[in-house]
């Protein structure tokens, strides 16, 4: 394996379905994260530990399963296949479930966008976060959960936004416990 910039590449040979040796070339999508390294602050470490501790303490396997599948999918790829759409869906389901069951304390939402926006407000986020979520909800509705239109490549930034919403919900809920 080798890296070029923020991309990692693998090359390997394997025996294909025909019984012949085939060459496989895999790469990850270029990351939009900065290349520079820096030391984490104490607050960043504490916040990360709250989120990781929440995942370890949470007895609800459904939430953990979706969140961790999102983590796996966000960095996975094979050849020209990426799993950003799947990662987005995993983080969305984890966030929706968490807000519904923990923040709103409901079994079912009556109006998904309105109810989750109310949960976002209850977590203490300003109104512009509700607007941002509305954009992610539109992406979920048009590109992820419904397939009437041809699929578009999922923007990794939208996947990471959905993950940040989920992380914030975890952090906000477990910070006080």
């Amino acid at each position: 394996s080798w890296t070029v910039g923020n991309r990692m590449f693998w090359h390997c040979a394997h025996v294909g379905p025909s019984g012949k040796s085939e060459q496989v070339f895999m790469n990850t999508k270029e990351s939009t994260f900065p290349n520079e390294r820096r030391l984490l602050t104490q607050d960043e470490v504490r916040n990360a530990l709250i989120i990781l501790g929440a995942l370890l303490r949470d007895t609800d396997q459904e939430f953990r399963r979706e969140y961790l599948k999102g983590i796996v999918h966000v960095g996975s790829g094979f050849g020209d296949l990426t799993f950003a759409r799947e990662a987005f869906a995993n983080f969305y389901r984890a966030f929706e479930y968490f807000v519904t069951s923990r923040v709103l304390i409901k079994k079912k939402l009556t109006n998904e966008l309105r109810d989750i926006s109310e949960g976002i407000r209850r977590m203490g986020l300003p109104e512009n976060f509700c607007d941002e979520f509305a954009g992610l909800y539109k992406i979920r509705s048009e590109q992820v959960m419904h397939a009437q239109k041809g699929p578009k490549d999922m923007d990794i930034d939208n996947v990471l936004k959905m993950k940040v919403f989920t992380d914030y919900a975890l952090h906000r809920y477990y910070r006080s416990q």
Side-chain angles (χ1 to χ4, degrees):
S1 71
W2 66 95
T3 59
V4 177
N6 284 351
R7 295 184 91 157
M8 182 176 282
F9 298 88
W10 295 273
H11 178 264
C12 63
H14 81 287
V15 176
S18 66
K20 296 182 181 178
S21 179
E22 297 177 352
Q23 301 296 312
V24 177
F25 180 71
M26 296 178 282
N27 68 302
T28 62
K29 252 189 143 164
E30 185 163 350
S31 170
T32 57
F33 294 110
N35 283 338
E36 325 65 68
R37 293 177 187 231
R38 66 177 180 80
L39 292 176
L40 295 174
T41 66
Q42 285 183 332
D43 285 342
E44 290 169 332
V45 171
R46 188 183 72 240
N47 291 338
L49 288 174
I50 289 171
I51 292 167
L52 293 173
L55 287 170
L56 291 172
R57 284 193 326 195
D58 202 313
T59 58
D60 194 325
Q61 293 299 309
E62 189 61 35
F63 172 78
R64 275 186 57 210
R65 191 175 299 115
E66 286 299 328
Y67 186 91
L68 293 174
K69 283 194 299 188
I71 296 290
V72 169
H73 281 137
V74 80
S76 297
F78 182 80
D80 63 346
L81 301 176
T82 61
F83 298 100
R85 182 179 325 285
E86 290 77 7
F88 182 92
N90 293 133
F91 289 128
Y92 186 91
R93 283 189 297 267
F95 179 72
E96 176 187 54
Y97 180 78
F98 194 86
V99 169
T100 303
S101 64
R102 303 288 170 77
V103 178
L104 298 171
I105 310 170
K106 292 183 172 185
K107 296 263 186 217
K108 187 175 180 180
L109 301 174
T110 53
N111 179 312
E112 193 171 327
L113 181 56
R114 185 186 68 221
D115 290 349
I116 291 177
S117 294
E118 174 59 27
I120 290 169
R121 285 185 208 95
R122 284 188 192 178
M123 287 187 290
L125 287 168
E127 195 62 34
N128 61 328
F129 281 85
C130 292
D131 297 339
E132 187 65 42
F133 180 76
L136 294 171
Y137 180 79
K138 184 177 180 186
I139 291 167
R140 170 247 180 235
S141 297
E142 291 177 356
Q143 296 181 31
V144 178
M145 302 310 245
H146 303 291
Q148 289 102 7
K149 297 178 184 178
K152 298 178 190 174
D153 282 342
M154 176 60 67
D155 183 358
I156 195 69
D157 288 339
N158 290 325
V159 175
L160 296 176
K161 284 178 191 177
M162 200 65 247
K163 182 187 179 303
V164 167
F165 269 97
T166 309
D167 288 347
Y168 184 81
L170 271 174
H171 183 270
R172 189 77 174 164
Y173 183 82
Y174 282 104
R175 182 179 64 181
S176 62
Q177 295 187 4

